[in-house]
Amino acid sequence: MGKALEGVKILDFTHVQSGPTCTQLLAWFGADVIKVERPGEGDITRGQLRDIPDVDSLYFTMLNHNKRSITLDAKNAKGKQVLEALVRHCDVLVENFAPGVLDRMGFSWERIQQLNPRMIVASVKGFGPGPYEDCKVYENVAQCAGGAASTTGFDDGPPLVTGAQIGDSGTGLHLALGIVTALFQRATTGTGQRVLCAMQDGVLNLCRVKLRDQQRLERNGKLTEYPQYPHGAFGEAVPRAGNASGGGQPGWILKCKGWETDPNAYIYFITQAPVWEAICKVIGKEEWITHPDYAKPAQRLPRLKEIFDAIERWTMTKTKFEAMDILNNYDIPCGPILSMKELAYEPSLRETGTVVEVDHPKRGKYLTVGNPIKLSASPSDVKRSPLLGEHTDEILAELGFGSEQIAAMRAEKAV
């Protein structure tokens, strides 16, 4: 069986992270992704955060696997001719330019429809229609504008952004779903459409439980599973909840053996109601099983700090992995705090293709993430990112340009 998206051609006008995340995912599923880059420069991330001089950065290589690169000056007449040929040739155009850039290039939605009525145009923008739609947005701005920062951190500290790239990569994942959906509908209608993912919208979608809590707070004036209850005051908006789970099962991050010197010697522990009896036995608090202050979930909520303090006294006597082994025997939900180093060298992640070693002609071997979505009949292969303009002549030939035409384009620096 071939790849899931084999035969789908993607015209990739994306750069930095949000758009490349989307197009890389489509490439992993077998789409032919043609990345359009400026001659001599390319995607700005090729040179950002370099760890080896004059070699494509890990920032670029880890976001552009399985793609082909063509260099193209869209301001040049011959370059524009190539771009029009690409629009006719491809199924999807993906871009994350600032608002209005595609129009100024001469490729408005109407013009694209004239060239290729089946074309799907997919865009990442910072904000959707509204007062901020023309604003430039980056990862942390999206986290702040989408509700993540205001609800992350501890109540006595400032808002915090998360290390997970939910603004950029999160929006790219949303956009990929939109593209595949539009392709599916095109099979019936025969025509393309526009797909828009705003980063603010993507972050808010990932923060939906906090929007849930906002409505609960407005109705009841309190959130009983938050650490502010019952000893703190609730304001008008959902507060920062520290390491509370955000769901109906109270959880917290607890110290484990070695925490004094290891910043990741911690475990996440959930006091799930069905295993409350087992928790009490493991930590030596059997009397809590029937005690009227602890026996029922509602009775435990006002006492969560005391409960987690007692559990932590037990976890501090075990390494995070020892605690995991013991707790899993009782089906007590928990998880170790794993560092990037631990994840990079975890054998099971290598075996499943979640972490992959790739060989690059200039950089050598490096680690990257593989496709997090596993298909049984068409597993993903992670191929190295393209060198700048590596496939220019190959793609031009596929579009029907002859060797003399290609030479003329190169002479004019159109490609």
Side-chain angles (χ1 to χ4, degrees), residues 17 139-140 142-143 148 152 160-171 203 206 340:
Q17 185 178 167
E139 169 67 44
N140 289 350
Q143 288 195 31
T152 302
L160 291 175
V161 296
T162 172
Q165 304 289 279
I166 60 174
D168 275 324
S169 288
T171 305
V203 172
L206 297 174
M340 280 297 126

Side-chain angles (χ1 to χ4, degrees), residues 34 68-70 86 391-400:
I34 300 172
R68 297 195 289 168
S69 172
I70 179 174
L86 283 167
H391 304 94
T392 298
D393 289 0
E394 175 182 290
I395 294 168
L396 290 174
E398 290 173 6
L399 295 173

Side-chain angles (χ1 to χ4, degrees), residues 382-415:
V382 177
K383 301 175 183 177
R384 69 166 176 84
S385 59
L387 302 177
L388 179 60
E390 181 177 352
H391 304 94
T392 298
D393 289 0
E394 175 182 290
I395 294 168
L396 290 174
E398 290 173 6
L399 295 173
F401 293 96
S403 57
E404 291 183 4
Q405 290 174 296
I406 295 172
M409 290 177 195
R410 289 201 174 278
E412 289 190 23
K413 296 183 179 178
V415 295

